[in-house]
Amino acid sequence: MQEFRIEDANQYVGKEVTMKGWLYNKRSSGKIKFLLVRDGSGIMQCIVFKNNVSPEKFELAEKIGLETSLSITGIVKEEPRAIGGYEMDVKDFEVYQEVNDYPITKKEHGIEFLMEHRHLWIRSKKQHAILRIRHEIIKACRDFFDMNGYTLVDTPIFTPNACEGTTTLFETKYFDTSAYLTQSGQLYNEATAAAFGKVYCFGPTFRAEKSKTRRHLMEFWMVEPEIAWANLNDVMDVAEDFITFIVKRVLDNRKKELETLERDISKLEKIEKPFPRITYEEAVKILKEKNVDFKDGDDFGGTDETVISESFDKPVMVHRYPINIKAFYMQPDPENENLALCVDVLAPEGYGEIIGGGQRIDNYDLLLKKIKEHNLPEEAFKWYLDIRKYGTFPHGGFGMGIERCVAWICGIKHVRETIAFPRMLHKIYP
Ligand code: 4AD
Ligand code: MG
Protein backbone atom coordinates (compact mmCIF):
# COMPACT_ATOMS: atom_id res chain seq x y z
CA MET A 1 0.00 0.00 0.00
CA GLN A 2 1.12 3.56 -0.26
CA GLU A 3 0.83 6.22 2.36
CA PHE A 4 1.56 9.24 0.24
CA ARG A 5 -1.20 10.57 -1.98
CA ILE A 6 -0.64 13.25 -4.62
CA GLU A 7 -3.76 14.98 -3.40
CA ASP A 8 -2.05 15.62 -0.05
CA ALA A 9 1.26 16.82 -1.55
CA ASN A 10 1.01 20.16 0.30
CA GLN A 11 1.74 18.31 3.55
CA TYR A 12 4.97 16.84 2.19
CA VAL A 13 6.87 19.84 0.82
CA GLY A 14 10.63 19.33 1.30
CA LYS A 15 10.12 15.74 2.38
CA GLU A 16 11.17 12.53 0.66
CA VAL A 17 8.27 10.32 -0.33
CA THR A 18 7.71 7.14 -2.29
CA MET A 19 4.78 7.24 -4.62
CA LYS A 20 3.21 4.33 -6.46
CA GLY A 21 1.31 4.85 -9.63
CA TRP A 22 1.13 4.80 -13.39
CA LEU A 23 2.88 6.83 -16.05
CA TYR A 24 0.32 9.29 -17.36
CA ASN A 25 2.48 11.20 -19.82
CA LYS A 26 6.09 12.15 -20.35
CA ARG A 27 8.35 14.52 -22.18
CA SER A 28 12.03 15.04 -22.25
CA SER A 29 14.50 17.85 -22.78
CA GLY A 30 18.10 16.72 -23.05
CA LYS A 31 19.38 15.90 -19.61
CA ILE A 32 15.94 16.00 -17.99
CA LYS A 33 13.00 13.65 -18.26
CA PHE A 34 9.61 14.77 -17.07
CA LEU A 35 7.46 11.85 -15.98
CA LEU A 36 3.83 12.67 -15.25
CA VAL A 37 2.69 10.08 -12.78
CA ARG A 38 -0.89 9.54 -11.59
CA ASP A 39 -1.77 7.69 -8.41
CA GLY A 40 -5.57 7.81 -8.48
CA SER A 41 -5.78 10.97 -6.39
CA GLY A 42 -3.97 13.27 -8.81
CA ILE A 43 -1.14 13.72 -11.29
CA MET A 44 2.38 14.83 -10.36
CA GLN A 45 5.26 15.89 -12.52
CA CYS A 46 8.39 13.94 -11.54
CA ILE A 47 11.70 15.28 -12.73
CA VAL A 48 14.50 12.89 -13.50
CA PHE A 49 17.87 14.67 -13.82
CA LYS A 50 20.50 12.69 -15.68
CA ASN A 51 23.03 13.30 -12.91
CA ASN A 52 20.74 12.15 -10.10
CA VAL A 53 20.13 8.59 -11.29
CA SER A 54 22.17 5.75 -12.79
CA PRO A 55 22.66 5.75 -16.57
CA GLU A 56 20.46 2.63 -16.83
CA LYS A 57 17.65 4.31 -14.95
CA PHE A 58 17.91 7.40 -17.10
CA GLU A 59 17.62 5.23 -20.18
CA LEU A 60 14.67 3.38 -18.67
CA ALA A 61 12.91 6.68 -18.04
CA GLU A 62 13.23 7.32 -21.77
CA LYS A 63 11.89 3.90 -22.70
CA ILE A 64 8.82 3.32 -20.55
CA GLY A 65 5.44 3.93 -22.17
CA LEU A 66 2.09 5.22 -20.94
CA GLU A 67 0.50 3.30 -18.04
CA THR A 68 3.75 1.66 -17.00
CA SER A 69 3.25 0.87 -13.30
CA LEU A 70 6.03 2.11 -11.07
CA SER A 71 7.14 3.27 -7.71
CA ILE A 72 9.05 6.53 -7.58
CA THR A 73 11.00 8.19 -4.76
CA GLY A 74 12.01 11.81 -4.43
CA ILE A 75 11.59 15.16 -2.70
CA VAL A 76 8.30 17.03 -3.03
CA LYS A 77 8.57 20.68 -4.10
CA GLU A 78 6.07 23.44 -4.53
CA GLU A 79 5.83 24.49 -8.19
CA PRO A 80 2.86 26.64 -9.17
CA ARG A 81 3.48 26.04 -12.88
CA ALA A 82 3.30 22.26 -12.55
CA ILE A 83 0.06 20.33 -12.86
CA GLY A 84 -1.47 20.19 -9.38
CA GLY A 85 0.98 22.80 -8.06
CA TYR A 86 3.68 20.37 -6.82
CA GLU A 87 6.45 18.35 -8.40
CA MET A 88 9.00 15.75 -7.40
CA ASP A 89 12.78 15.73 -7.71
CA VAL A 90 13.36 12.07 -8.42
CA LYS A 91 16.05 10.14 -6.56
CA ASP A 92 15.17 6.72 -7.84
CA PHE A 93 12.34 4.70 -9.29
CA GLU A 94 11.41 1.05 -9.82
CA VAL A 95 9.30 -0.18 -12.69
CA TYR A 96 6.73 -2.77 -11.69
CA GLN A 97 5.57 -3.50 -15.21
CA GLU A 98 6.82 -1.79 -18.32
CA VAL A 99 4.11 -1.04 -20.87
CA ASN A 100 4.76 0.05 -24.42
CA ASP A 101 1.50 -0.64 -26.17
CA TYR A 102 -1.24 1.05 -24.15
CA PRO A 103 -4.19 1.14 -26.54
CA ILE A 104 -5.49 4.58 -25.58
CA THR A 105 -3.03 7.11 -26.90
CA LYS A 106 -3.03 10.87 -26.70
CA LYS A 107 -4.61 11.13 -30.13
CA GLU A 108 -8.38 11.31 -30.64
CA HIS A 109 -10.28 8.04 -30.46
CA GLY A 110 -13.84 7.39 -31.57
CA ILE A 111 -16.51 6.72 -28.96
CA GLU A 112 -16.93 3.07 -30.08
CA PHE A 113 -13.28 2.39 -29.40
CA LEU A 114 -13.36 4.18 -26.06
CA MET A 115 -16.45 2.30 -24.91
CA GLU A 116 -14.80 -1.01 -25.88
CA HIS A 117 -11.90 0.06 -23.69
CA ARG A 118 -14.00 1.51 -20.90
CA HIS A 119 -11.99 -0.49 -18.32
CA LEU A 120 -8.93 1.53 -19.34
CA TRP A 121 -10.64 4.76 -20.39
CA ILE A 122 -11.69 5.42 -16.78
CA ARG A 123 -8.00 6.18 -16.05
CA SER A 124 -8.08 9.30 -18.21
CA LYS A 125 -8.30 12.75 -16.67
CA LYS A 126 -11.80 13.65 -17.78
CA GLN A 127 -13.37 10.31 -16.92
CA HIS A 128 -11.61 10.38 -13.58
CA ALA A 129 -13.08 13.82 -12.85
CA ILE A 130 -16.61 12.70 -13.77
CA LEU A 131 -16.48 9.63 -11.54
CA ARG A 132 -15.10 11.61 -8.64
CA ILE A 133 -17.94 14.10 -8.96
CA ARG A 134 -20.33 11.14 -9.09
CA HIS A 135 -18.91 9.94 -5.79
CA GLU A 136 -19.35 13.41 -4.29
CA ILE A 137 -22.97 13.54 -5.49
CA ILE A 138 -23.73 10.11 -4.01
CA LYS A 139 -22.17 11.13 -0.72
CA ALA A 140 -24.18 14.36 -0.75
CA CYS A 141 -27.41 12.43 -1.36
CA ARG A 142 -26.74 10.20 1.62
CA ASP A 143 -25.66 13.07 3.85
CA PHE A 144 -28.74 15.10 2.97
CA PHE A 145 -31.13 12.35 4.03
CA ASP A 146 -29.04 11.17 6.96
CA MET A 147 -28.90 14.73 8.34
CA ASN A 148 -32.64 15.25 7.95
CA GLY A 149 -34.08 12.36 9.92
CA TYR A 150 -34.48 9.77 7.16
CA THR A 151 -33.71 6.10 7.78
CA LEU A 152 -31.94 4.20 5.02
CA VAL A 153 -33.88 1.02 4.33
CA ASP A 154 -32.63 -1.08 1.43
CA THR A 155 -35.24 -2.44 -0.94
CA PRO A 156 -34.99 -5.70 -2.91
CA ILE A 157 -33.56 -6.14 -6.40
CA PHE A 158 -35.60 -9.28 -7.23
CA THR A 159 -39.25 -8.33 -7.20
CA PRO A 160 -42.52 -10.11 -7.95
CA ASN A 161 -44.20 -7.01 -9.39
CA ALA A 162 -43.71 -4.01 -11.68
CA CYS A 163 -43.48 -0.46 -10.37
CA GLU A 164 -43.01 1.66 -13.46
CA GLY A 165 -45.04 -0.09 -16.14
CA THR A 166 -44.65 -3.53 -17.63
CA THR A 167 -42.94 -2.58 -20.89
CA THR A 168 -39.45 -2.07 -19.45
CA LEU A 169 -39.24 -5.10 -17.13
CA PHE A 170 -36.23 -7.36 -17.09
CA GLU A 171 -37.52 -10.81 -16.33
CA THR A 172 -35.30 -13.44 -14.79
CA LYS A 173 -35.64 -16.98 -13.52
CA TYR A 174 -36.23 -17.35 -9.79
CA PHE A 175 -36.03 -21.05 -9.04
CA ASP A 176 -39.23 -22.53 -10.44
CA THR A 177 -40.92 -19.18 -10.89
CA SER A 178 -39.91 -15.85 -12.41
CA ALA A 179 -38.96 -12.49 -10.96
CA TYR A 180 -38.28 -9.01 -12.25
CA LEU A 181 -35.27 -6.85 -11.61
CA THR A 182 -36.47 -3.80 -9.70
CA GLN A 183 -37.41 -0.66 -11.63
CA SER A 184 -37.68 1.39 -8.44
CA GLY A 185 -37.70 0.79 -4.69
CA GLN A 186 -40.70 3.05 -4.24
CA LEU A 187 -43.39 0.49 -3.45
CA TYR A 188 -41.25 -0.98 -0.68
CA ASN A 189 -40.36 2.52 0.51
CA GLU A 190 -44.07 3.12 1.06
CA ALA A 191 -44.17 0.13 3.40
CA THR A 192 -41.03 1.20 5.27
CA ALA A 193 -42.31 4.81 5.53
CA ALA A 194 -45.13 3.44 7.68
CA ALA A 195 -42.51 1.89 9.94
CA PHE A 196 -39.98 4.77 10.07
CA GLY A 197 -41.80 7.94 8.94
CA LYS A 198 -39.07 9.20 6.63
CA VAL A 199 -37.02 6.70 4.64
CA TYR A 200 -34.81 6.46 1.59
CA CYS A 201 -33.41 3.68 -0.49
CA PHE A 202 -30.42 3.86 -2.78
CA GLY A 203 -29.48 1.20 -5.22
CA PRO A 204 -29.27 -0.02 -8.77
CA THR A 205 -32.50 -0.11 -10.76
CA PHE A 206 -33.17 -1.75 -14.11
CA ARG A 207 -35.18 -0.83 -17.15
CA ALA A 208 -35.26 -2.62 -20.46
CA GLU A 209 -35.46 0.66 -22.36
CA LYS A 210 -35.76 -0.15 -26.03
CA SER A 211 -34.79 3.37 -27.04
CA LYS A 212 -31.24 4.51 -27.62
CA THR A 213 -30.95 8.02 -26.21
CA ARG A 214 -28.33 10.03 -24.39
CA ARG A 215 -30.46 9.84 -21.21
CA HIS A 216 -31.24 6.15 -20.92
CA LEU A 217 -29.32 3.31 -19.38
CA MET A 218 -30.53 -0.23 -18.77
CA GLU A 219 -29.04 -0.20 -15.29
CA PHE A 220 -28.89 3.04 -13.32
CA TRP A 221 -28.67 4.09 -9.70
CA MET A 222 -31.58 5.77 -8.05
CA VAL A 223 -31.97 7.45 -4.67
CA GLU A 224 -35.55 7.53 -3.48
CA PRO A 225 -36.96 9.24 -0.38
CA GLU A 226 -40.48 8.47 0.83
CA ILE A 227 -42.18 10.64 3.42
CA ALA A 228 -45.19 9.84 5.58
CA TRP A 229 -47.79 12.63 5.75
CA ALA A 230 -46.24 14.51 2.81
CA ASN A 231 -48.37 16.07 0.08
CA LEU A 232 -47.21 17.13 -3.39
CA ASN A 233 -46.00 20.54 -2.20
CA ASP A 234 -43.95 18.94 0.57
CA VAL A 235 -42.37 16.62 -1.99
CA MET A 236 -41.45 19.60 -4.17
CA ASP A 237 -39.98 21.43 -1.17
CA VAL A 238 -37.75 18.46 -0.36
CA ALA A 239 -36.66 18.00 -4.00
CA GLU A 240 -35.67 21.67 -4.15
CA ASP A 241 -33.65 21.55 -0.92
CA PHE A 242 -32.06 18.29 -1.99
CA ILE A 243 -30.85 19.49 -5.38
CA THR A 244 -29.59 22.78 -3.95
CA PHE A 245 -27.63 20.87 -1.32
CA ILE A 246 -26.01 18.54 -3.86
CA VAL A 247 -24.93 21.31 -6.22
CA LYS A 248 -23.44 23.33 -3.37
CA ARG A 249 -21.53 20.29 -2.10
CA VAL A 250 -19.99 19.68 -5.53
CA LEU A 251 -19.07 23.35 -5.87
CA ASP A 252 -17.46 23.30 -2.41
CA ASN A 253 -15.54 20.02 -2.77
CA ARG A 254 -14.99 19.26 -6.45
CA LYS A 255 -14.19 22.56 -8.12
CA LYS A 256 -10.94 21.23 -9.55
CA GLU A 257 -12.74 18.38 -11.25
CA LEU A 258 -15.39 20.77 -12.63
CA GLU A 259 -12.55 22.85 -14.06
CA THR A 260 -10.98 19.74 -15.62
CA LEU A 261 -14.31 19.23 -17.36
CA GLU A 262 -14.38 22.92 -18.36
CA ARG A 263 -17.80 23.18 -16.74
CA ASP A 264 -19.30 26.66 -16.74
CA ILE A 265 -19.42 26.99 -12.95
CA SER A 266 -21.41 30.24 -13.02
CA LYS A 267 -24.39 28.21 -14.25
CA LEU A 268 -24.21 25.95 -11.19
CA GLU A 269 -23.80 28.91 -8.85
CA LYS A 270 -27.26 30.09 -9.91
CA ILE A 271 -28.89 26.95 -8.48
CA GLU A 272 -30.67 28.41 -5.47
CA LYS A 273 -34.13 28.17 -4.00
CA PRO A 274 -36.84 28.77 -5.05
CA PHE A 275 -37.12 26.75 -8.28
CA PRO A 276 -39.89 27.66 -10.71
CA ARG A 277 -43.00 25.47 -10.38
CA ILE A 278 -45.23 25.18 -13.43
CA THR A 279 -48.11 22.90 -14.33
CA TYR A 280 -48.02 20.44 -17.20
CA GLU A 281 -50.44 22.79 -19.02
CA GLU A 282 -48.02 25.69 -18.64
CA ALA A 283 -45.17 23.53 -19.91
CA VAL A 284 -47.26 22.62 -22.96
CA LYS A 285 -47.82 26.33 -23.55
CA ILE A 286 -44.03 26.85 -23.65
CA LEU A 287 -43.73 24.13 -26.30
CA LYS A 288 -46.52 25.71 -28.38
CA GLU A 289 -44.92 29.14 -28.12
CA LYS A 290 -41.67 27.66 -29.40
CA ASN A 291 -43.48 25.96 -32.27
CA VAL A 292 -42.70 22.46 -31.10
CA ASP A 293 -44.90 19.85 -32.73
CA PHE A 294 -46.55 18.41 -29.61
CA LYS A 295 -49.90 16.76 -28.98
CA ASP A 296 -51.57 18.06 -25.83
CA GLY A 297 -52.08 15.19 -23.38
CA ASP A 298 -48.97 13.24 -24.42
CA ASP A 299 -45.99 12.68 -22.19
CA PHE A 300 -42.95 14.83 -22.90
CA GLY A 301 -40.23 13.28 -24.99
CA GLY A 302 -36.52 14.03 -24.61
CA THR A 303 -36.57 16.97 -27.02
CA ASP A 304 -39.70 18.44 -25.41
CA GLU A 305 -37.99 18.36 -22.01
CA THR A 306 -34.91 19.95 -23.55
CA VAL A 307 -36.99 22.84 -24.91
CA ILE A 308 -38.88 23.34 -21.62
CA SER A 309 -35.77 23.20 -19.45
CA GLU A 310 -33.86 25.58 -21.72
CA SER A 311 -36.41 28.25 -20.79
CA PHE A 312 -35.12 28.36 -17.20
CA ASP A 313 -31.73 28.81 -15.60
CA LYS A 314 -32.73 26.71 -12.59
CA PRO A 315 -34.29 23.28 -12.38
CA VAL A 316 -37.99 23.61 -13.20
CA MET A 317 -40.61 21.55 -11.39
CA VAL A 318 -43.43 20.50 -13.71
CA HIS A 319 -46.42 19.20 -11.78
CA ARG A 320 -49.90 17.77 -12.44
CA TYR A 321 -49.48 15.69 -15.61
CA PRO A 322 -52.50 13.96 -17.16
CA ILE A 323 -53.12 10.96 -14.94
CA ASN A 324 -53.53 8.50 -17.81
CA ILE A 325 -49.89 8.86 -18.94
CA LYS A 326 -48.50 8.25 -15.46
CA ALA A 327 -47.94 5.24 -13.20
CA PHE A 328 -50.86 3.47 -11.50
CA TYR A 329 -50.05 4.63 -7.96
CA MET A 330 -50.40 8.39 -8.52
CA GLN A 331 -52.91 10.31 -6.37
CA PRO A 332 -55.48 12.16 -8.51
CA ASP A 333 -55.75 15.91 -8.00
CA PRO A 334 -58.95 16.52 -5.97
CA GLU A 335 -59.52 19.67 -8.05
CA ASN A 336 -59.34 17.77 -11.33
CA GLU A 337 -59.35 13.98 -11.30
CA ASN A 338 -57.76 13.81 -14.74
CA LEU A 339 -54.53 15.19 -13.32
CA ALA A 340 -52.01 13.40 -11.13
CA LEU A 341 -50.41 14.97 -8.07
CA CYS A 342 -46.98 14.28 -9.50
CA VAL A 343 -43.85 16.24 -10.31
CA ASP A 344 -40.95 15.91 -12.68
CA VAL A 345 -37.90 18.06 -12.03
CA LEU A 346 -36.20 19.09 -15.26
CA ALA A 347 -32.58 20.18 -15.00
CA PRO A 348 -31.61 23.38 -16.84
CA GLU A 349 -29.42 23.79 -19.94
CA GLY A 350 -31.61 21.32 -21.79
CA TYR A 351 -30.80 18.34 -19.56
CA GLY A 352 -34.39 17.40 -18.86
CA GLU A 353 -35.86 15.10 -16.21
CA ILE A 354 -33.64 14.15 -13.30
CA ILE A 355 -36.37 13.56 -10.71
CA GLY A 356 -39.80 11.96 -10.89
CA GLY A 357 -42.16 11.67 -7.95
CA GLY A 358 -45.34 12.85 -6.26
CA GLN A 359 -48.11 11.93 -3.90
CA ARG A 360 -49.33 8.32 -3.77
CA ILE A 361 -52.88 6.97 -3.65
CA ASP A 362 -53.71 6.27 -0.01
CA ASN A 363 -57.24 4.92 -0.47
CA TYR A 364 -57.60 1.13 -0.70
CA ASP A 365 -60.53 1.00 -3.11
CA LEU A 366 -59.07 3.57 -5.49
CA LEU A 367 -55.70 1.81 -5.55
CA LEU A 368 -57.31 -1.54 -6.26
CA LYS A 369 -59.32 0.03 -9.09
CA LYS A 370 -56.12 1.47 -10.61
CA ILE A 371 -54.26 -1.83 -10.35
CA LYS A 372 -57.09 -3.45 -12.28
CA GLU A 373 -57.27 -0.65 -14.85
CA HIS A 374 -53.56 -1.02 -15.50
CA ASN A 375 -53.95 -4.77 -15.94
CA LEU A 376 -51.53 -5.49 -13.13
CA PRO A 377 -51.71 -8.83 -11.31
CA GLU A 378 -53.68 -8.12 -8.14
CA GLU A 379 -52.12 -11.07 -6.35
CA ALA A 380 -48.58 -9.64 -6.57
CA PHE A 381 -49.80 -6.34 -5.08
CA LYS A 382 -51.60 -7.77 -2.07
CA TRP A 383 -48.88 -6.66 0.31
CA TYR A 384 -48.87 -3.19 -1.28
CA LEU A 385 -52.61 -2.89 -0.81
CA ASP A 386 -52.18 -3.85 2.86
CA ILE A 387 -50.43 -0.50 3.41
CA ARG A 388 -53.84 1.09 2.63
CA LYS A 389 -55.64 -1.34 4.89
CA TYR A 390 -53.76 -0.99 8.13
CA GLY A 391 -53.41 2.66 9.11
CA THR A 392 -53.28 4.32 5.72
CA PHE A 393 -51.72 7.77 5.56
CA PRO A 394 -51.07 10.44 2.93
CA HIS A 395 -47.50 10.11 1.67
CA GLY A 396 -45.21 10.92 -1.19
CA GLY A 397 -41.66 10.89 -2.39
CA PHE A 398 -39.48 10.89 -5.45
CA GLY A 399 -36.62 9.20 -7.23
CA MET A 400 -33.53 10.84 -8.64
CA GLY A 401 -31.44 9.08 -11.27
CA ILE A 402 -27.81 9.54 -10.27
CA GLU A 403 -26.46 9.33 -13.81
CA ARG A 404 -28.74 12.08 -15.11
CA CYS A 405 -27.81 14.29 -12.19
CA VAL A 406 -24.09 13.65 -12.79
CA ALA A 407 -24.46 14.41 -16.51
CA TRP A 408 -26.07 17.76 -15.73
CA ILE A 409 -23.68 18.83 -12.98
CA CYS A 410 -20.64 17.76 -15.02
CA GLY A 411 -22.08 19.36 -18.17
CA ILE A 412 -21.57 16.26 -20.30
CA LYS A 413 -23.89 15.20 -23.05
CA HIS A 414 -24.35 11.47 -22.63
CA VAL A 415 -25.08 9.41 -19.51
CA ARG A 416 -22.74 6.64 -20.71
CA GLU A 417 -19.81 8.57 -19.21
CA THR A 418 -21.43 9.06 -15.80
CA ILE A 419 -21.09 5.48 -14.55
CA ALA A 420 -17.94 3.35 -14.63
CA PHE A 421 -19.44 0.51 -16.65
CA PRO A 422 -22.64 1.60 -18.40
CA ARG A 423 -25.16 -0.99 -19.50
CA MET A 424 -26.61 0.14 -22.78
CA LEU A 425 -28.98 -1.18 -25.41
CA HIS A 426 -27.49 -4.51 -26.59
CA LYS A 427 -24.14 -3.63 -25.03
CA ILE A 428 -22.81 -5.38 -21.98
CA TYR A 429 -19.02 -5.45 -22.58
CA PRO A 430 -16.77 -4.79 -20.70
O1 4AD B 1 -39.56 8.96 -13.23
P1 4AD B 1 -39.21 7.59 -12.76
O2 4AD B 1 -39.59 6.45 -13.63
O3 4AD B 1 -39.85 7.46 -11.31
C1 4AD B 1 -39.82 6.36 -10.52
O4 4AD B 1 -39.23 5.33 -10.75
C2 4AD B 1 -40.52 6.55 -9.21
N1 4AD B 1 -40.98 5.25 -8.74
C3 4AD B 1 -39.55 7.18 -8.25
C4 4AD B 1 -40.17 7.49 -6.90
O5 4AD B 1 -41.10 8.29 -6.85
N2 4AD B 1 -39.66 6.93 -5.86
O6 4AD B 1 -37.63 7.51 -12.51
C5 4AD B 1 -37.03 8.39 -11.60
C6 4AD B 1 -35.75 8.93 -12.17
C7 4AD B 1 -35.92 9.74 -13.46
O7 4AD B 1 -36.28 11.07 -13.16
C8 4AD B 1 -34.52 9.66 -14.04
O8 4AD B 1 -33.63 10.56 -13.40
C9 4AD B 1 -34.10 8.27 -13.67
O9 4AD B 1 -34.89 7.88 -12.57
N3 4AD B 1 -34.28 7.32 -14.78
C10 4AD B 1 -33.29 6.89 -15.58
N4 4AD B 1 -31.99 7.18 -15.62
C11 4AD B 1 -31.22 6.57 -16.53
N5 4AD B 1 -31.69 5.66 -17.41
C12 4AD B 1 -33.00 5.32 -17.40
N6 4AD B 1 -33.44 4.40 -18.25
C13 4AD B 1 -33.86 5.95 -16.46
N7 4AD B 1 -35.18 5.86 -16.17
C14 4AD B 1 -35.41 6.69 -15.15
MG1 MG C 1 -40.25 9.87 -14.93
Side-chain angles (χ1 to χ4, degrees):
M1 235 179 78
Q2 79 161 344
E3 262 167 54
F4 172 77
R5 285 169 61 79
I6 292 174
E7 206 169 36
D8 309 323
N10 61 337
Q11 297 163 32
Y12 291 86
V13 176
K15 292 192 182 132
E16 184 177 307
V17 300
T18 295
M19 168 166 98
K20 289 170 184 164
W22 297 263
L23 187 63
Y24 185 74
N25 210 348
K26 62 172 191 177
R27 58 194 173 87
S28 96
S29 110
K31 291 182 170 157
I32 312 175
K33 306 262 174 259
F34 298 92
L35 304 180
L36 283 160
V37 177
R38 53 168 201 89
D39 75 342
S41 79
I43 298 173
M44 185 180 266
Q45 170 162 283
C46 303
I47 304 169
V48 185
F49 284 102
K50 193 168 185 174
N51 296 339
N52 288 358
V53 294
S54 68
E56 299 78 53
K57 278 284 161 72
F58 195 69
E59 210 176 291
L60 188 59
E62 172 65 36
K63 251 179 63 198
I64 53 176
L66 300 190
E67 294 305 318
T68 289
S69 46
L70 45 81
S71 130
I72 189 161
T73 303
I75 310 278
V76 176
K77 288 193 332 194
E78 206 166 341
E79 175 48 74
R81 286 167 305 174
I83 184 167
Y86 298 88
E87 61 182 24
M88 179 193 272
D89 252 344
V90 177
K91 285 191 151 173
D92 199 8
F93 67 94
E94 297 296 332
V95 167
Y96 192 71
Q97 182 184 46
E98 183 176 341
V99 175
N100 286 302
D101 56 354
Y102 188 62
I104 302 179
T105 57
K106 296 288 163 200
K107 69 164 201 246
E108 289 267 319
H109 292 287
I111 187 68
E112 283 275 320
F113 178 87
L114 290 169
M115 290 306 293
E116 276 284 307
H117 293 86
R118 183 66 179 162
H119 51 298
L120 303 176
W121 188 25
I122 50 174
R123 301 179 187 191
S124 74
K125 217 155 107 183
K126 199 178 142 198
Q127 298 306 314
H128 182 269
I130 296 168
L131 292 177
R132 271 203 132 178
I133 292 171
R134 177 189 170 103
H135 176 203
E136 194 68 46
I137 289 171
I138 289 174
K139 177 122 176 35
C141 291
R142 291 193 181 283
D143 287 347
F144 178 84
F145 293 121
D146 293 347
M147 284 160 30
N148 286 290
Y150 291 73
T151 301
L152 171 74
V153 187
D154 301 313
T155 51
I157 307 268
F158 284 127
T159 62
N161 46 277
C163 178
E164 293 301 321
T166 48
T167 54
T168 62
L169 282 173
F170 273 113
E171 195 171 350
T172 175
K173 268 212 221 99
Y174 196 75
F175 303 107
D176 48 2
T177 148
S178 67
Y180 306 109
L181 300 184
T182 184
Q183 297 169 308
S184 156
Q186 178 200 318
L187 307 187
Y188 294 95
N189 270 350
E190 292 180 52
T192 62
F196 299 91
K198 298 205 278 187
V199 296
Y200 72 103
C201 65
F202 198 158
T205 45
F206 307 86
R207 308 241 175 129
E209 304 274 6
K210 310 290 179 331
S211 54
K212 208 168 165 177
T213 80
R214 64 187 176 95
R215 295 173 184 171
H216 289 93
L217 293 167
M218 306 303 121
E219 178 181 310
F220 61 98
W221 284 68
M222 185 154 44
V223 59
E224 301 177 80
E226 191 69 30
I227 311 151
W229 313 107
N231 61 25
L232 176 64
N233 278 333
D234 298 325
V235 169
M236 291 199 270
D237 290 345
V238 175
E240 187 177 67
D241 282 335
F242 177 60
I243 293 176
T244 313
F245 180 86
I246 295 170
V247 171
K248 185 168 183 309
R249 186 60 93 67
V250 174
L251 283 171
D252 286 348
N253 295 351
R254 289 286 165 234
K255 213 164 225 155
K256 227 170 54 193
E257 282 78 5
L258 290 171
E259 280 161 10
T260 298
L261 298 171
E262 291 167 33
R263 180 68 167 109
D264 182 348
I265 287 169
S266 69
K267 295 228 162 85
L268 296 177
E269 284 168 344
K270 289 203 187 103
I271 309 305
E272 272 177 12
K273 285 205 301 187
F275 297 169
R277 297 179 186 198
I278 63 171
T279 61
Y280 167 88
E281 259 332 299
E282 286 165 329
V284 171
K285 216 179 279 160
I286 294 175
L287 292 177
K288 294 271 150 78
E289 275 162 19
K290 299 201 171 169
N291 296 316
V292 178
D293 183 22
F294 178 81
K295 197 165 134 267
D296 204 345
D298 279 0
D299 204 356
F300 299 130
T303 25
D304 304 321
E305 285 179 4
T306 297
V307 172
I308 298 163
S309 66
E310 273 170 349
S311 313
F312 301 91
D313 58 6
K314 291 181 191 185
V316 54
M317 307 210 260
V318 184
H319 55 90
R320 293 180 167 79
Y321 286 64
I323 200 154
N324 61 321
I325 56 167
K326 287 286 177 184
F328 73 97
Y329 51 72
M330 301 260 183
Q331 176 75 43
D333 184 353
E335 316 245 298
N336 177 353
E337 302 236 307
N338 298 318
L339 302 178
L341 292 180
C342 66
V343 60
D344 276 7
V345 182
L346 313 184
E349 300 174 68
Y351 277 90
E353 180 189 344
I354 54 170
I355 279 182
Q359 202 177 318
R360 326 301 188 187
I361 293 175
D362 57 54
N363 177 276
Y364 183 94
D365 295 330
L366 180 58
L367 184 60
L368 182 60
K369 185 168 154 246
K370 291 284 177 176
I371 287 173
K372 286 179 176 162
E373 272 174 23
H374 283 249
N375 288 318
L376 295 166
E378 207 182 308
E379 200 44 37
F381 288 92
K382 229 176 111 237
W383 69 272
Y384 185 61
L385 282 157
D386 271 355
I387 307 169
R388 280 76 181 169
K389 210 162 142 188
Y390 302 109
T392 197
F393 56 113
H395 61 284
F398 62 80
M400 184 180 78
I402 292 298
E403 291 74 17
R404 298 226 187 136
C405 177
V406 175
W408 162 50
I409 291 181
C410 289
I412 52 174
K413 264 227 135 105
H414 202 297
V415 289
R416 67 187 160 213
E417 290 179 48
T418 62
I419 181 164
F421 298 102
R423 304 289 86 151
M424 323 233 296
L425 192 61
H426 306 310
K427 276 212 184 97
I428 199 168
Y429 176 91

